[in-house]
Amino acid sequence: LLEMYDAMRSEHLDVIYAVRSTRSETAIKRVLYALFYRVFLFLSDTPIHMDSGDFCILSRRAVRLLLNLPEKLRFMRGLRAWLGLKSRPYPVARGARAAGQPQYSFPKLLALAASGLTSFSTKPLRIGFFCGAILCFGAVLAGFGYLGVALFSNIHIAAPGFSTLVVFLLFSNGLVFL
């Protein structure tokens, strides 16, 4: 802590945050953490340092800015980076927990990960918009296809109204995505 504080003061930083150089968790947790960080870095518009933790030292300015944010479930790694203040990582070798139980259960970690992924990225919205546009376009094409079959061929559909239902469902689901 004192070394981090000295580095923050000497380098005139607003944020210095711990980054795990080693992890003492189970192999499954290490894989899940690595997967989360890679997905986050792919989706996020605000990049964060891999294996960064919540442990950090903040300047008064950074604390004021963080306290003004309305978030209820605070994904601190993302919020620190989103502030855009001068910061740097500080490598820490974190040992195994000496006593007590972790505060974050697996469901709480999932909720935090979901909050981080959805709060710092517009890519899921863009993907939904793209999927909705494709469904609507596909519904219009299918509608014209069914109309062409009905007007210009002798093919009779065994279930009348089925094609209308399919086109309507495709289009309405596309609108939901949009």
Side-chain angles (χ1 to χ4, degrees):
L1 184 62
L2 292 175
E3 290 173 11
M4 288 174 73
Y5 181 75
D6 289 339
M8 186 175 119
R9 298 279 301 205
S10 65
E11 298 175 32
H12 304 289
L13 301 169
D14 284 304
V15 179
I16 188 163
Y17 54 92
V19 174
R20 294 172 194 89
S21 55
T22 60
R23 281 193 174 271
S24 58
E25 288 96 357
T26 63
I28 293 172
K29 264 193 168 179
R30 282 195 305 266
V31 167
L32 289 175
Y33 280 125
L35 179 66
F36 166 76
Y37 279 109
R38 279 164 181 73
V39 168
F40 184 88
L41 290 173
F42 173 73
L43 290 177
S44 178
D45 302 324
T46 306
I48 62 170
H49 197 282
M50 292 273 294
D51 289 325
S52 62
D54 287 338
F55 185 73
C56 63
I57 299 177
L58 304 168
S59 68
R60 174 64 51 200
R61 177 178 158 200
V63 170
R64 264 194 322 263
L65 290 170
L66 281 172
L67 288 176
N68 287 330
L69 297 175
E71 276 76 15
K72 300 289 184 233
L73 184 60
R74 291 178 176 248
F75 182 67
M76 283 299 295
R77 297 160 197 125
L79 291 175
R80 278 191 320 245
W82 183 80
L83 289 176
L85 300 173
K86 191 173 178 188
S87 65
R88 85 163 175 91
Y90 188 86
V92 173
R94 190 179 116 190
R97 181 178 289 275
Q101 295 295 319
Q103 287 182 333
Y104 278 96
S105 62
F106 189 70
K108 284 185 180 179
L109 283 174
L110 284 177
L112 184 64
S115 173
L117 290 173
T118 56
S119 298
F120 294 96
S121 178
T122 57
K123 285 183 185 171
L125 292 174
R126 289 186 204 138
I127 291 169
F129 181 81
F130 182 72
C131 289
I134 287 176
L135 282 174
C136 286
F137 184 69
V140 169
L141 286 180
F144 281 125
Y146 283 129
L147 185 63
V149 166
L151 293 177
F152 302 112
S153 73
N154 288 333
I155 299 174
H156 297 289
I157 297 176
F162 177 74
S163 55
T164 307
L165 183 64
V166 168
V167 169
F168 177 74
L169 285 174
L170 273 175
F171 192 78
S172 63
N173 284 327
L175 287 179
V176 169
F177 269 102
L178 285 173

